[in-house]
Every structure is written in structure tokens, then in C-alpha cells.
Amino acid sequence: MNDQIELRHLRYFAAVAETLHFGHAAEKLGMAQPPLSQQIRNLERNLGYALFDRTTRGVRLTRVGQFFLERARTTLAKVADDIEIARRVGSGLEGALTVGFAGSVMFTGLPKAIRRYRRMHPNVELRLREGATEELMPLLLDGTLDLGFLRDGEARDGLMIETILREPFVAVLPARHKLAANSILAPAALKNEPFVLFARRMGALAYDRTVACCEAEGFRPNFVQDAPQWPTVLRLVAAGLGVSLAPACVARITTPGVVFKRVRSRHWTSIDIGMKAKLDNPATEAFLAIARQQFSKRGW
């Protein structure tokens, strides 16, 4: 389109084309007739062709005018749609939202929050990405993720951490372990046991809190094997490689050959939301509100 033709010219032309009367079109547009006639002449001059046949009996569209009216209507409708979509994106009702999560968070209230968000915001593309806490943190900082649901997240420059759930630890034992009959254990009961856990590089604070739970009882765990995911840790425990301490939600993972026991300790592990101090995606606030409400029900 010639850069001298503006959107208002299309609106003026469509009004005249639909009424076939300059006076009625001017009234519809809320303007005087002479300026409207002048704008239509300018439009025709820029196009190089007449859009209307003007006679003493009235006004009618030329063949060029008929073609141009169809295109003008399409353009005006698309602009109107684009404006509405832009407004919906600005209000968080359209667009995309990328949420990261540590694996264990999926055994708490996050799936319910996701399901509710999708039902309430069907036009937002929700992208989910699983990873260890240490993998998710840089993705939050560089903007790849809008939100991250972390296991024991640590605040960093440019990143806010909001704790939404504190969980107690549970002991993970082979089903035939000598302590399997106990309903509750003190961490000290595991003092001489080999431990299976994730590597510290996957979540430094989560690892340190697990160790602190044991150190408060006077011993440091003897780690004999690490594993990347809780389901793998549980299978290794079932295979007899050792025991573990896990967030309480992990007990939801049914694994043959494994039992979970409550732990008598004041120590805990947390689920935290990681986000930038300044949220630049309008869809983020709606998801946050739903997640906060879900986790206020103890995360279940």
C-alpha cells in the first residue's frame, strides 16, 4: 500500500461505499461532507483510479471500487481483530506462558493448578518444562521461563523466591528393612545406613537441607549412589542399595519393594516459586493466583 494511504482513508471509503451517499457517510463518520469528499479524491489520486462514478442520479462503485471495497473490509476487519487480540494479550487472556518445574513438584498441587489454569485460560498456550532446580534457575534469569516451581529454590540477583509449601521429610526404606515395621522414625535410626540421593549439583539447597536433617541428629549420611530423579532413587532403594530421605509428596509414587515412614524432625524441604522481580508476561499473574490458591490447601 502506498505510504500516503492511511487506515482512515479505508474507513472513509468503506463508509461511502456502503451508503453510496457522501452526505450519509459523513454523518455516519461524524464529519462534514466537504472534507470527506476531499479525502476520497486524495485516495483515488494515490491509487491512480476512480473508485466511484459520480452522476447527477447518484454515486456507484466502479469495478476498481468494488474490488477495493472487498480488500478494505478485509484489512479493517483484520486490524480490528489484531487490536482485540493485543488487548487480550495485554490482559493475560491470550499469548503463551512457559512454566518450569522440578520433578517432585508434580506430586503436590501443581497438576491441579495447571488443569484449572487451562480450563480458565484456554487461549493461552501453556508450555511446561521439567528440570532440576539448578537447571531451571538460569532459564528463569534469561527469560526462557516465566515461572519456575522449584524444590528448595535459592534467591539470586534478579530472581525472587516465594515459598508456597513446606514439607516434612519421610524415610524411604526397602520393604524388608528391619525398620520397616516402625510407624515413625528419628533420623538417627538411619545413622549407619547407606544413602541414595540426587547429586548436590542438581539442587544445592535441597541436598543441604537433607544433610542438615541428619546432622541435627549427630551424623552425616553415607551416600553410596546418586540418581537424577525420585522414581530412580526409589527403585534403587527397592533394589537394596540403601535408604533415603525424601519430601513427603514422594510417598505418592507407588513403588513395589519400598515403604515410606514419617520422620520425627523439625527440618523441612520447600517448594518455591522462582520469578523475576519484574514480571513482563501478563499471563503470569493469573497462573500465580491459581497456584497460590491451590498450594494454600497444603499443596494437595
Coordinates of all heavy atoms in Angstrom, one line a residue, residues 135-220:
E135 N 19.0 -26.5 37.1 CA 18.8 -26.3 35.6 C 17.8 -25.2 35.3 O 17.9 -24.5 34.3 CB 18.4 -27.6 35.0 CG 19.4 -28.7 35.1 CD 18.8 -30.1 34.7 OE1 17.6 -30.2 34.6 OE2 19.6 -31.0 34.3
L136 N 16.8 -25.1 36.2 CA 15.7 -24.1 35.9 C 16.1 -22.7 36.3 O 15.6 -21.7 35.6 CB 14.5 -24.5 36.7 CG 13.9 -25.9 36.4 CD1 12.7 -26.1 37.3 CD2 13.4 -25.9 35.0
M137 N 17.0 -22.5 37.3 CA 17.3 -21.1 37.7 C 17.9 -20.2 36.6 O 17.4 -19.1 36.4 CB 18.3 -21.2 38.9 CG 17.8 -21.9 40.1 SD 16.6 -20.9 41.1 CE 17.7 -20.3 42.3
P138 N 18.8 -20.7 35.8 CA 19.3 -19.8 34.7 C 18.3 -19.5 33.7 O 18.3 -18.5 33.0 CB 20.5 -20.6 34.2 CG 20.4 -22.0 34.6 CD 19.7 -21.9 35.9
L139 N 17.4 -20.5 33.5 CA 16.3 -20.3 32.5 C 15.3 -19.2 32.9 O 14.7 -18.5 32.1 CB 15.6 -21.6 32.2 CG 16.5 -22.7 31.7 CD1 15.6 -24.0 31.4 CD2 17.2 -22.3 30.4
L140 N 15.1 -19.1 34.2 CA 14.3 -18.0 34.8 C 15.0 -16.7 34.6 O 14.4 -15.7 34.2 CB 14.0 -18.3 36.3 CG 13.0 -19.4 36.6 CD1 13.1 -19.8 38.0 CD2 11.6 -19.0 36.2
L141 N 16.3 -16.7 34.8 CA 17.1 -15.4 34.7 C 17.1 -14.9 33.3 O 17.1 -13.7 33.1 CB 18.5 -15.6 35.3 CG 18.5 -15.7 36.8 CD1 19.9 -16.3 37.3 CD2 18.2 -14.4 37.5
D142 N 17.3 -15.8 32.3 CA 17.4 -15.3 30.9 C 16.1 -15.2 30.2 O 16.0 -14.8 29.1 CB 18.3 -16.2 30.1 CG 17.8 -17.6 29.9 OD1 16.5 -17.8 30.0 OD2 18.5 -18.5 29.5
G143 N 15.0 -15.4 30.9 CA 13.6 -15.2 30.4 C 13.1 -16.4 29.6 O 12.0 -16.3 29.1
T144 N 13.8 -17.5 29.5 CA 13.2 -18.7 28.8 C 12.0 -19.2 29.5 O 11.0 -19.6 28.9 CB 14.3 -19.8 28.8 OG1 15.4 -19.3 28.1 CG2 13.7 -21.0 28.1
L145 N 12.0 -19.1 30.9 CA 10.8 -19.5 31.7 C 10.2 -18.2 32.3 O 10.9 -17.3 32.7 CB 11.3 -20.4 32.8 CG 11.9 -21.7 32.5 CD1 12.3 -22.5 33.7 CD2 10.9 -22.6 31.6
D146 N 8.9 -18.2 32.3 CA 8.2 -17.1 33.0 C 8.1 -17.4 34.5 O 8.2 -16.4 35.3 CB 6.8 -17.0 32.4 CG 6.8 -16.5 31.0 OD1 7.4 -15.5 30.7 OD2 6.2 -17.3 30.1
L147 N 7.9 -18.6 34.9 CA 7.8 -19.1 36.3 C 8.5 -20.4 36.4 O 8.6 -21.2 35.5 CB 6.3 -19.3 36.7 CG 5.4 -18.1 36.9 CD1 4.0 -18.5 37.1 CD2 5.9 -17.2 38.0
G148 N 9.0 -20.6 37.6 CA 9.6 -21.9 37.9 C 9.1 -22.4 39.3 O 9.2 -21.7 40.3
F149 N 8.6 -23.7 39.3 CA 8.3 -24.3 40.6 C 9.4 -25.2 41.0 O 9.7 -26.2 40.5 CB 7.0 -25.1 40.5 CG 5.8 -24.1 40.3 CD1 5.5 -23.6 39.1 CD2 5.0 -23.8 41.4 CE1 4.4 -22.7 38.9 CE2 3.9 -23.0 41.3 CZ 3.6 -22.4 40.0
L150 N 10.2 -24.7 42.0 CA 11.4 -25.2 42.4 C 11.4 -26.0 43.7 O 10.6 -25.8 44.6 CB 12.5 -24.1 42.6 CG 12.5 -23.0 41.5 CD1 13.4 -21.9 41.9 CD2 12.9 -23.6 40.1
R151 N 12.3 -27.0 43.8 CA 12.5 -27.7 45.1 C 13.6 -27.0 45.8 O 14.7 -27.0 45.3 CB 12.8 -29.2 44.8 CG 13.2 -30.0 46.0 CD 12.1 -30.0 47.1 NE 10.9 -30.7 46.6 CZ 9.8 -30.9 47.3 NH1 9.7 -30.4 48.6 NH2 8.8 -31.5 46.8
D152 N 13.3 -26.3 46.9 CA 14.3 -25.6 47.7 C 15.1 -24.6 46.8 O 16.3 -24.8 46.7 CB 15.2 -26.6 48.4 CG 14.5 -27.5 49.3 OD1 13.9 -27.0 50.3 OD2 14.5 -28.8 49.1
G153 N 14.3 -23.7 46.3 CA 15.0 -22.7 45.5 C 15.7 -21.6 46.3 O 15.3 -21.3 47.4
E154 N 16.8 -21.1 45.8 CA 17.6 -20.1 46.4 C 17.5 -18.8 45.7 O 17.6 -18.7 44.5 CB 19.1 -20.5 46.5 CG 19.3 -21.7 47.4 CD 20.8 -22.0 47.5 OE1 21.5 -21.5 48.4 OE2 21.3 -22.8 46.7
A155 N 17.3 -17.7 46.4 CA 17.3 -16.4 45.8 C 18.6 -16.0 45.2 O 19.7 -16.4 45.7 CB 16.9 -15.3 46.9
R156 N 18.6 -15.4 44.0 CA 19.7 -14.9 43.3 C 19.5 -13.5 42.8 O 18.3 -13.1 42.8 CB 20.1 -15.8 42.1 CG 20.4 -17.2 42.5 CD 20.8 -18.1 41.3 NE 21.1 -19.4 41.7 CZ 21.4 -20.4 40.9 NH1 21.5 -20.1 39.6 NH2 21.7 -21.6 41.3
D157 N 20.5 -12.8 42.5 CA 20.4 -11.4 41.9 C 19.4 -11.5 40.7 O 19.6 -12.3 39.8 CB 21.7 -10.9 41.5 CG 22.6 -10.5 42.7 OD1 22.0 -10.4 43.8 OD2 23.8 -10.3 42.5
G158 N 18.4 -10.7 40.8 CA 17.4 -10.6 39.7 C 16.3 -11.6 39.7 O 15.5 -11.7 38.9
L159 N 16.3 -12.5 40.8 CA 15.4 -13.5 40.9 C 14.7 -13.5 42.3 O 15.4 -13.5 43.3 CB 16.0 -14.9 40.6 CG 15.1 -16.1 40.3 CD1 14.4 -15.9 39.0 CD2 16.0 -17.4 40.2
M160 N 13.4 -13.6 42.3 CA 12.7 -13.6 43.6 C 12.3 -15.1 43.8 O 11.9 -15.8 42.9 CB 11.4 -12.8 43.5 CG 11.6 -11.3 43.4 SD 10.1 -10.4 43.8 CE 8.9 -11.2 42.8
I161 N 12.2 -15.4 45.1 CA 11.8 -16.7 45.5 C 10.7 -16.6 46.5 O 10.8 -15.9 47.5 CB 13.0 -17.5 46.2 CG1 14.1 -17.8 45.2 CG2 12.5 -18.8 46.8 CD1 13.7 -18.7 44.1
E162 N 9.6 -17.3 46.2 CA 8.4 -17.3 47.1 C 8.1 -18.7 47.5 O 7.8 -19.5 46.7 CB 7.2 -16.7 46.4 CG 5.9 -16.7 47.1 CD 4.7 -16.2 46.3 OE1 4.9 -15.4 45.4 OE2 3.6 -16.7 46.6
T163 N 8.2 -19.0 48.8 CA 7.9 -20.3 49.3 C 6.4 -20.5 49.4 O 5.7 -19.7 50.0 CB 8.5 -20.5 50.7 OG1 10.0 -20.4 50.6 CG2 8.2 -21.9 51.3
I164 N 5.9 -21.5 48.8 CA 4.4 -21.8 48.8 C 4.1 -23.1 49.5 O 2.9 -23.3 49.8 CB 3.9 -21.8 47.4 CG1 4.6 -22.8 46.5 CG2 3.9 -20.4 46.8 CD1 3.9 -23.0 45.2
L165 N 5.1 -23.9 49.9 CA 4.8 -25.1 50.6 C 6.0 -25.6 51.3 O 7.1 -25.6 50.7 CB 4.3 -26.2 49.7 CG 3.9 -27.5 50.3 CD1 2.6 -27.4 51.2 CD2 3.7 -28.6 49.3
R166 N 5.9 -25.9 52.6 CA 6.9 -26.6 53.4 C 6.5 -28.0 53.6 O 5.4 -28.2 54.1 CB 7.2 -25.8 54.7 CG 7.9 -24.5 54.5 CD 8.2 -23.9 55.9 NE 8.9 -22.6 55.7 CZ 9.4 -21.9 56.8 NH1 9.2 -22.4 58.0 NH2 10.0 -20.8 56.6
E167 N 7.3 -28.9 53.3 CA 7.0 -30.3 53.5 C 8.0 -31.0 54.5 O 9.2 -30.7 54.5 CB 7.2 -31.1 52.2 CG 6.1 -30.8 51.1 CD 6.3 -31.7 49.9 OE1 5.8 -32.8 50.0 OE2 7.0 -31.3 49.0
P168 N 7.5 -31.9 55.3 CA 8.3 -32.7 56.2 C 9.0 -33.8 55.3 O 8.7 -34.0 54.2 CB 7.4 -33.4 57.2 CG 6.1 -33.5 56.4 CD 6.0 -32.2 55.5
F169 N 10.1 -34.3 55.9 CA 10.8 -35.5 55.2 C 10.1 -36.8 55.6 O 9.5 -36.9 56.7 CB 12.2 -35.5 55.7 CG 13.1 -34.4 55.1 CD1 13.4 -33.3 55.8 CD2 13.5 -34.5 53.8 CE1 14.2 -32.3 55.3 CE2 14.4 -33.5 53.2 CZ 14.7 -32.4 54.0
V170 N 10.2 -37.7 54.7 CA 9.9 -39.1 55.0 C 11.1 -40.0 54.7 O 11.9 -39.7 53.9 CB 8.7 -39.6 54.1 CG1 7.4 -38.9 54.5 CG2 9.0 -39.5 52.7
A171 N 11.2 -41.1 55.5 CA 12.2 -42.0 55.3 C 11.8 -43.0 54.2 O 10.6 -43.4 54.2 CB 12.6 -42.8 56.6
V172 N 12.7 -43.3 53.3 CA 12.4 -44.3 52.2 C 13.2 -45.6 52.5 O 14.5 -45.5 52.5 CB 12.8 -43.7 50.9 CG1 12.3 -44.7 49.8 CG2 12.2 -42.3 50.7
L173 N 12.6 -46.7 52.7 CA 13.2 -47.9 53.1 C 12.8 -49.1 52.2 O 11.7 -49.1 51.7 CB 12.8 -48.3 54.6 CG 13.0 -47.2 55.6 CD1 12.4 -47.8 56.9 CD2 14.4 -46.9 55.8
P174 N 13.7 -50.0 52.0 CA 13.3 -51.3 51.4 C 12.2 -51.9 52.2 O 12.2 -51.8 53.5 CB 14.6 -52.1 51.4 CG 15.7 -51.2 51.6 CD 15.2 -50.1 52.4
A175 N 11.3 -52.6 51.6 CA 10.1 -53.1 52.3 C 10.5 -54.1 53.3 O 9.8 -54.3 54.3 CB 9.2 -53.8 51.2
R176 N 11.6 -54.8 53.1 CA 12.1 -55.8 54.1 C 13.1 -55.3 55.1 O 13.7 -56.1 55.8 CB 12.6 -57.0 53.4 CG 11.6 -57.8 52.5 CD 12.1 -59.0 51.9 NE 11.1 -59.7 51.1 CZ 11.3 -60.9 50.5 NH1 12.6 -61.4 50.5 NH2 10.4 -61.4 49.8
H177 N 13.3 -54.0 55.1 CA 14.2 -53.4 56.1 C 13.8 -53.7 57.5 O 12.6 -53.7 57.8 CB 14.4 -51.9 55.8 CG 15.5 -51.3 56.4 ND1 15.6 -50.8 57.7 CD2 16.8 -51.0 55.9 CE1 16.7 -50.3 58.0 NE2 17.5 -50.4 56.9
K178 N 14.8 -53.7 58.4 CA 14.5 -54.0 59.8 C 13.7 -52.9 60.4 O 13.0 -53.1 61.5 CB 15.8 -54.2 60.6 CG 16.7 -53.0 60.5 CD 18.1 -53.2 61.2 CE 19.0 -52.0 61.1 NZ 20.3 -52.2 61.7
L179 N 13.7 -51.7 59.9 CA 12.9 -50.6 60.5 C 11.6 -50.4 59.8 O 10.8 -49.5 60.1 CB 13.7 -49.3 60.3 CG 15.1 -49.2 61.1 CD1 15.8 -47.9 60.7 CD2 14.9 -49.3 62.6
A180 N 11.2 -51.3 58.8 CA 10.0 -51.1 58.0 C 8.8 -51.2 58.8 O 7.7 -50.7 58.4 CB 10.0 -52.1 56.9
A181 N 8.8 -51.9 60.0 CA 7.6 -52.0 60.8 C 7.3 -50.8 61.7 O 6.2 -50.7 62.2 CB 7.8 -53.3 61.7
N182 N 8.3 -49.9 61.8 CA 8.1 -48.7 62.6 C 7.1 -47.7 61.9 O 7.2 -47.6 60.6 CB 9.4 -48.0 62.8 CG 10.3 -48.8 63.7 OD1 10.5 -50.0 63.4 ND2 11.0 -48.2 64.7
S183 N 6.3 -47.1 62.6 CA 5.3 -46.1 62.0 C 6.0 -44.7 61.9 O 5.6 -43.9 61.0 CB 4.1 -46.0 62.8 OG 4.4 -45.5 64.2
I184 N 7.0 -44.4 62.7 CA 7.7 -43.1 62.7 C 9.1 -43.4 63.1 O 9.4 -44.2 64.0 CB 7.0 -42.1 63.6 CG1 7.7 -40.7 63.4 CG2 7.0 -42.5 65.0 CD1 6.9 -39.6 64.0
L185 N 10.0 -42.6 62.5 CA 11.5 -42.8 62.8 C 12.1 -41.5 63.1 O 11.7 -40.5 62.6 CB 12.2 -43.4 61.5 CG 11.8 -44.8 61.0 CD1 12.5 -45.1 59.7 CD2 12.1 -45.8 62.1
A186 N 13.1 -41.6 64.0 CA 14.0 -40.4 64.2 C 15.1 -40.6 63.1 O 15.5 -41.7 62.8 CB 14.6 -40.5 65.6
P187 N 15.6 -39.5 62.6 CA 16.7 -39.6 61.6 C 17.9 -40.4 62.1 O 18.6 -41.1 61.3 CB 17.1 -38.1 61.3 CG 15.8 -37.4 61.6 CD 15.2 -38.1 62.7
A188 N 18.1 -40.3 63.4 CA 19.3 -41.1 64.0 C 19.2 -42.6 63.7 O 20.2 -43.3 63.7 CB 19.4 -40.8 65.5
A189 N 18.0 -43.1 63.5 CA 17.8 -44.5 63.3 C 18.5 -44.9 61.9 O 18.8 -46.1 61.7 CB 16.4 -44.9 63.2
L190 N 18.8 -43.9 61.1 CA 19.4 -44.2 59.8 C 20.9 -44.0 59.8 O 21.5 -44.0 58.7 CB 18.7 -43.4 58.7 CG 17.2 -43.5 58.6 CD1 16.7 -42.5 57.6 CD2 16.7 -44.9 58.3
K191 N 21.4 -43.8 61.0 CA 22.8 -43.3 61.1 C 23.8 -44.3 60.4 O 24.8 -43.8 59.7 CB 23.2 -43.2 62.6 CG 24.6 -42.8 62.8 CD 24.9 -42.7 64.3 CE 26.3 -42.2 64.6 NZ 26.5 -42.0 66.1
N192 N 23.6 -45.5 60.5 CA 24.6 -46.5 59.9 C 24.2 -47.1 58.6 O 24.7 -48.0 58.1 CB 24.8 -47.6 60.9 CG 25.4 -47.2 62.2 OD1 26.3 -46.3 62.2 ND2 24.9 -47.6 63.3
E193 N 23.2 -46.4 57.9 CA 22.7 -46.9 56.7 C 23.3 -46.2 55.5 O 23.7 -45.0 55.5 CB 21.1 -46.6 56.6 CG 20.3 -47.3 57.7 CD 20.2 -48.8 57.5 OE1 20.5 -49.3 56.4 OE2 20.0 -49.5 58.5
P194 N 23.5 -47.0 54.4 CA 24.0 -46.3 53.1 C 22.8 -45.5 52.6 O 21.6 -45.9 52.7 CB 24.3 -47.5 52.2 CG 23.5 -48.6 52.8 CD 23.4 -48.4 54.2
F195 N 23.1 -44.4 52.0 CA 22.1 -43.5 51.5 C 22.1 -43.4 49.9 O 23.2 -43.4 49.3 CB 22.3 -42.1 52.0 CG 21.5 -41.8 53.3 CD1 21.9 -42.4 54.5 CD2 20.4 -41.0 53.3 CE1 21.2 -42.2 55.7 CE2 19.7 -40.7 54.5 CZ 20.1 -41.3 55.7
V196 N 20.9 -43.2 49.4 CA 20.8 -43.0 47.9 C 20.1 -41.6 47.8 O 19.1 -41.4 48.5 CB 19.9 -44.0 47.2 CG1 19.8 -43.7 45.7 CG2 20.6 -45.4 47.4
L197 N 20.6 -40.7 47.0 CA 20.0 -39.4 46.9 C 20.5 -38.8 45.5 O 21.4 -39.4 44.8 CB 20.5 -38.5 48.0 CG 19.6 -37.2 48.2 CD1 18.2 -37.5 48.6 CD2 20.3 -36.3 49.2
F198 N 19.9 -37.7 45.1 CA 20.4 -37.0 44.0 C 21.7 -36.3 44.2 O 22.1 -36.0 45.4 CB 19.3 -35.9 43.5 CG 18.9 -35.0 44.6 CD1 19.6 -33.8 44.9 CD2 17.8 -35.3 45.4 CE1 19.2 -33.0 46.0 CE2 17.4 -34.5 46.5 CZ 18.1 -33.3 46.7
A199 N 22.5 -35.9 43.2 CA 23.7 -35.2 43.4 C 23.5 -33.8 43.8 O 22.5 -33.2 43.4 CB 24.5 -35.3 42.1
R200 N 24.4 -33.2 44.6 CA 24.2 -31.8 45.0 C 24.1 -30.8 43.9 O 23.4 -29.8 44.0 CB 25.4 -31.4 46.0 CG 25.2 -30.1 46.7 CD 26.3 -29.8 47.7 NE 26.0 -28.6 48.5 CZ 26.2 -27.4 48.1 NH1 26.8 -27.1 46.9 NH2 25.9 -26.3 48.9
R201 N 24.8 -31.1 42.8 CA 24.7 -30.1 41.7 C 23.3 -30.0 41.1 O 23.1 -29.0 40.4 CB 25.7 -30.6 40.6 CG 25.3 -31.9 39.9 CD 26.2 -32.3 38.8 NE 25.8 -33.6 38.1 CZ 26.1 -34.8 38.6 NH1 26.8 -34.9 39.7 NH2 25.6 -35.9 38.0
M202 N 22.4 -30.9 41.4 CA 21.1 -30.8 40.8 C 20.2 -29.9 41.7 O 19.2 -29.4 41.2 CB 20.5 -32.2 40.8 CG 21.2 -33.1 39.8 SD 20.4 -34.7 39.7 CE 18.9 -34.3 38.9
G203 N 20.6 -29.7 42.9 CA 19.8 -28.8 43.8 C 20.5 -28.7 45.1 O 20.4 -29.5 46.0
A204 N 21.4 -27.6 45.2 CA 22.3 -27.5 46.3 C 21.5 -27.3 47.7 O 21.9 -28.0 48.7 CB 23.2 -26.3 46.1
L205 N 20.5 -26.5 47.7 CA 19.8 -26.3 49.0 C 19.0 -27.5 49.4 O 18.9 -27.8 50.5 CB 18.9 -25.0 48.8 CG 18.2 -24.6 50.1 CD1 19.1 -24.4 51.2 CD2 17.3 -23.4 49.9
A206 N 18.4 -28.2 48.4 CA 17.6 -29.4 48.7 C 18.6 -30.5 49.3 O 18.2 -31.1 50.3 CB 17.0 -29.9 47.5
Y207 N 19.7 -30.6 48.7 CA 20.7 -31.5 49.2 C 21.2 -31.1 50.6 O 21.2 -32.0 51.5 CB 21.9 -31.5 48.2 CG 23.0 -32.5 48.6 CD1 23.1 -33.8 48.0 CD2 24.1 -32.2 49.5 CE1 24.1 -34.6 48.3 CE2 25.1 -33.0 49.8 CZ 25.1 -34.3 49.2 OH 26.1 -35.1 49.5
D208 N 21.5 -29.9 50.8 CA 22.0 -29.4 52.1 C 20.9 -29.5 53.2 O 21.3 -29.9 54.4 CB 22.4 -27.9 52.0 CG 23.7 -27.8 51.1 OD1 24.4 -28.8 50.9 OD2 24.0 -26.6 50.7
R209 N 19.7 -29.3 52.9 CA 18.6 -29.5 53.9 C 18.5 -30.9 54.3 O 18.2 -31.2 55.4 CB 17.3 -28.9 53.3 CG 17.3 -27.4 53.4 CD 16.0 -26.8 52.8 NE 15.9 -25.4 53.0 CZ 14.9 -24.6 52.5 NH1 14.0 -25.1 51.7 NH2 14.9 -23.3 52.8
T210 N 18.6 -31.8 53.3 CA 18.6 -33.3 53.6 C 19.7 -33.6 54.6 O 19.5 -34.4 55.6 CB 18.6 -34.1 52.4 OG1 17.6 -33.7 51.5 CG2 18.4 -35.6 52.7
V211 N 20.9 -33.2 54.3 CA 22.1 -33.4 55.1 C 21.9 -32.8 56.5 O 22.2 -33.5 57.5 CB 23.3 -32.9 54.4 CG1 24.5 -33.0 55.4 CG2 23.7 -33.7 53.2
A212 N 21.3 -31.6 56.5 CA 21.1 -30.9 57.8 C 20.2 -31.7 58.7 O 20.3 -31.7 59.9 CB 20.6 -29.5 57.6
C213 N 19.2 -32.3 58.1 CA 18.2 -33.1 58.9 C 18.9 -34.3 59.6 O 18.6 -34.6 60.8 CB 17.2 -33.7 57.9 SG 15.9 -34.7 58.7
C214 N 20.0 -34.8 59.0 CA 20.8 -35.9 59.6 C 21.8 -35.3 60.6 O 22.0 -35.8 61.7 CB 21.5 -36.7 58.5 SG 20.4 -37.5 57.4
E215 N 22.4 -34.2 60.2 CA 23.5 -33.6 61.1 C 22.9 -33.1 62.4 O 23.6 -33.1 63.4 CB 24.2 -32.5 60.3 CG 25.1 -33.0 59.2 CD 25.8 -31.9 58.5 OE1 25.3 -30.7 58.5 OE2 26.9 -32.2 57.9
A216 N 21.6 -32.8 62.4 CA 21.0 -32.4 63.6 C 20.9 -33.5 64.6 O 20.7 -33.3 65.8 CB 19.6 -31.8 63.3
E217 N 21.0 -34.8 64.0 CA 20.9 -36.0 64.9 C 22.4 -36.5 65.1 O 22.5 -37.6 65.6 CB 20.1 -37.0 64.2 CG 18.7 -36.6 63.9 CD 17.8 -36.8 65.1 OE1 17.9 -37.8 65.8 OE2 16.9 -35.9 65.4
G218 N 23.4 -35.8 64.7 CA 24.7 -36.2 65.1 C 25.5 -37.0 64.1 O 26.5 -37.6 64.4
F219 N 25.0 -37.1 62.8 CA 25.7 -37.9 61.8 C 25.5 -37.3 60.5 O 24.6 -36.5 60.2 CB 25.2 -39.3 61.8 CG 23.9 -39.5 61.1 CD1 23.8 -40.0 59.8 CD2 22.7 -39.3 61.8 CE1 22.6 -40.2 59.2 CE2 21.4 -39.5 61.2 CZ 21.4 -39.9 59.9
R220 N 26.4 -37.6 59.6 CA 26.4 -37.2 58.2 C 26.1 -38.4 57.3 O 26.7 -39.5 57.5 CB 27.7 -36.5 57.7 CG 27.6 -35.9 56.3 CD 28.9 -35.2 56.0 NE 28.8 -34.6 54.6 CZ 28.2 -33.5 54.3 NH1 27.7 -32.7 55.3 NH2 28.2 -33.0 53.0

